Amino acid sequence: AQRVTQPEKLLSVFKGAPVELKCNYSYSGSPELFWYVQYSRQRLQLLLRHISRESIKGFTADLNKGETSFHLKKPFAQEEDSAMYYCALKAGGTSYGKLTFGQGTILTVHP
Amino acid sequence: EPEVTQTPSHQVTQMGQEVILRCVPISNHLYFYWYRQILGQKVEFLVSFYNNEISEKSEIFDDQFSVERPDGSNFTLKIRSTKLEDSAMYFCASSETGGMNIQYFGAGTRLSVL
């Protein structure tokens, strides 16, 4: 069974502070991990995926298979980063497949 | 940029009524999905659809639910006899074939069962 845990429902930081949104997963095979973001009144959109190993809007996330984690980090938060963030997992090795989502973390960046 | 389109944005129905939620996936995508999110809960997978058949479904997707691709553009989710607990936000997603497999989501349909 696939499971994704985001332990923080709410996270508040001040502008310019570092931010880390935690994500842990449980999956027996080789997973693909994603971070999706939902800004106010907008649709879910992909922020980044672990196999791309890229930085989007200053965010990075590293897959740590030993700790089964895929935490999202940004060194200097901006007010426009305020949104709901979802970590999601898909079984690796297939070109399609369901996403299993975490509960989501609401990030608020204060001025 | 192409988008997944869902209609209506809000559907209100009486318990026991049938509802059809509509989605227009991105045109060159071949994999289609429905997810739902009950207020305050996780986004949950319902069903995936490829090559005109269901490829995977969750335990939520019981006999009351069905999906269809009636033409070359629409992808629908039908709930035959709605229950109060079907009230949720329903998201459609689509992805293209190949390695990218990024699922693009629609804005959702809020279903309210009274």
Side-chain angles (χ1 to χ4, degrees), chain B residues 29-73:
Chain B
H29 287 188
L30 296 178
Y31 298 107
F32 314 115
Y33 310 83
W34 282 102
Y35 294 83
R36 79 170 186 191
Q37 186 176 30
I38 295 170
L39 189 64
Q41 297 187 23
K42 293 185 180 189
V43 176
E44 300 173 288
F45 168 77
L46 291 177
V47 65
S48 58
F49 191 85
Y50 171 68
N51 200 25
N52 280 320
E53 60 183 25
I54 290 173
S55 46
E56 187 177 3
K57 60 183 181 179
S58 72
E59 62 274 11
I60 302 167
F61 194 87
D62 61 22
D63 292 344
Q64 292 299 310
F65 291 88
S66 61
V67 289
E68 195 177 32
R69 187 152 163 82
D71 52 43
S73 60

Side-chain angles (χ1 to χ4, degrees), chain A residues 36 43 49 86 90 95 97, chain B residues 4 35 37 100-101 103:
Chain A
Y36 276 81
R43 64 190 64 209
R49 55 203 300 238
Y86 293 97
K90 184 182 81 65
S95 57
Chain B
V4 175
Y35 294 83
Q37 186 176 30
M100 288 298 287
N101 187 39
Q103 292 186 27

